[in-house]
Amino acid sequence: MNYTLNIKGRLLDLSEPQVMGILNATPDSFFADSRKQTEQEIADRANEIVAQGGSMIDVGAYSTRPGAAEVTEQEEMARMRMALAVVRREQPDVPISVDTFRADVARMAVEEYGADIINDVSEGADEAMFRMVARLQVPYILMSVQKDLHDTLMAFAKKVQLLRDMGQKDIILDPGFGFGKTLDENYRLMNEMEKLQVMELPVLVGISRKSMIYKLLGIDQSRALNGTTVLNTIALMKGASILRVHDVKEAVEAIAITRHLTPTT
């Protein structure tokens, strides 16, 4: 299906899958190479994402890796403000996604820096976030922490209806690979991912260098690029509209190759 997102009155066409590059303004995100803390590092990363073909930048200021240090809302806001100011300066026209589960951080990012998308990894655990994005009227990424396809669809259906009732328009679904799932549960969900299309909403996949890859292969994150590309390609063939990645160039190449395939008759 062909989807669009309303980005400040401009429609972003998802008929061709898009690449969302990850920019972590954190000292402790799980993939060390993604950690950018100085203004120069953030500027370089933002420009690299766009130069390699990324069409969105996802800015995070609070690591969600297991065992990461808890960060106060004030510290998350301070990190986010610094990063957003730099990204807006370097890439003023590129849609920015903000990776946060806090409603006030989302509000600040949109109202102060014109952030375009809110990426919430909490499955909407706090309905204050639902009310906030509905008020802000920016696209919202709803992630699932459920273990299987059935529970994922049931949770999505309930949360999407709640968002619709609040007036939210653009909703993107993230099946939540790596969140609340065992290694085998992650792969079972990937195997059935095309069934998420029944929701008639765009799907974002974020599996970049995650443990479902490196633990299966007996390697570490630094050597998980090949496995990431394999799973990104499978996700594209199962209907993913957005790939959230550390390695933008390789994801862009995966899209170019999969789009060149034509169904047999």
Side-chain angles (χ1 to χ4, degrees):
M1 299 181 68
N2 294 333
Y3 301 108
T4 59
L5 297 178
N6 186 338
I7 306 291
K8 297 189 180 74
R10 176 172 58 92
L11 291 182
L12 177 63
D13 184 7
L14 300 181
S15 60
E16 177 175 341
Q18 303 294 303
V19 174
M20 176 184 284
I22 298 168
L23 194 165
N24 287 319
T26 58
D28 57 351
S29 293
F30 81 91
F31 181 45
D33 287 354
S34 74
R35 302 169 190 168
K36 309 297 178 185
Q37 294 184 266
T38 70
E39 289 194 13
Q40 189 60 56
E41 288 174 338
I42 291 167
D44 290 346
R45 176 57 177 162
N47 292 328
E48 177 185 58
I49 288 169
V50 176
Q52 292 184 351
S55 57
M56 291 177 269
I57 299 173
D58 188 57
V59 180
Y62 188 149
S63 175
T64 55
R65 70 170 176 83
E70 185 172 344
V71 175
T72 66
E73 185 169 304
Q74 291 72 24
E75 176 64 18
E76 184 184 3
M77 279 196 180
R79 293 176 182 176
M80 190 68 77
R81 282 190 169 103
M82 191 267 281
L84 291 175
V86 175
V87 175
R88 272 290 178 235
R89 182 191 72 210
E90 297 294 319
Q91 295 294 336
D93 299 323
V94 174
I96 295 176
S97 166
V98 172
D99 183 354
T100 186
F101 57 87
R102 288 170 165 153
D104 283 341
V105 175
R107 177 196 53 74
M108 176 276 293
V110 173
E111 293 182 349
E112 295 183 19
Y113 296 93
D116 303 285
I117 300 168
I118 300 302
N119 180 13
D120 179 8
V121 301
S122 75
E123 198 180 44
D126 183 357
E127 286 189 13
M129 179 65 89
F130 282 9
R131 292 190 293 272
M132 182 61 71
V133 294
R135 179 173 75 79
L136 296 169
Q137 279 302 300
V138 293
Y140 175 68
I141 301 170
L142 172 64
M143 198 192 77
S144 172
V145 298
Q146 303 302 316
K147 295 181 178 297
D148 57 38
L149 179 71
H150 174 270
D151 289 350
T152 297
L153 285 170
M154 294 296 289
F156 277 155
K158 179 181 178 181
K159 301 286 187 175
V160 167
Q161 187 59 58
L162 183 57
L163 283 161
R164 295 294 193 213
D165 290 344
M166 293 179 179
Q168 177 63 16
K169 294 181 174 62
D170 285 337
I171 302 169
I172 303 155
L173 303 179
D174 178 354
F177 293 108
F179 287 82
K181 303 166 183 65
T182 66
L183 188 148
D184 288 342
E185 287 166 346
N186 278 304
Y187 280 96
R188 281 197 290 270
L189 184 58
M190 176 66 76
N191 191 46
E192 299 183 288
M193 200 191 84
E194 70 278 5
K195 295 177 183 176
L196 293 176
Q197 297 300 315
V198 71
M199 298 292 299
E200 298 186 352
L201 291 169
V203 174
L204 175 147
V205 169
I207 47 84
S208 185
R209 296 180 181 266
K210 287 188 174 177
S211 63
M212 66 182 287
I213 299 167
Y214 64 80
K215 287 184 178 179
L216 178 70
L217 300 177
I219 55 177
D220 60 25
Q221 299 99 320
S222 68
R223 294 188 290 158
L225 173 55
N226 184 57
T228 297
T229 302
V230 171
L231 286 185
N232 277 336
T233 302
I234 292 169
L236 290 166
M237 297 181 75
K238 289 177 174 286
S241 294
I242 302 171
L243 299 178
R244 180 182 179 274
V245 301
H246 299 96
D247 306 284
V248 173
K249 175 178 175 288
E250 290 78 4
V252 169
E253 291 174 348
I255 289 171
I257 290 171
T258 55
R259 287 192 73 245
H260 204 67
L261 298 173
T262 54
T264 57
T265 57

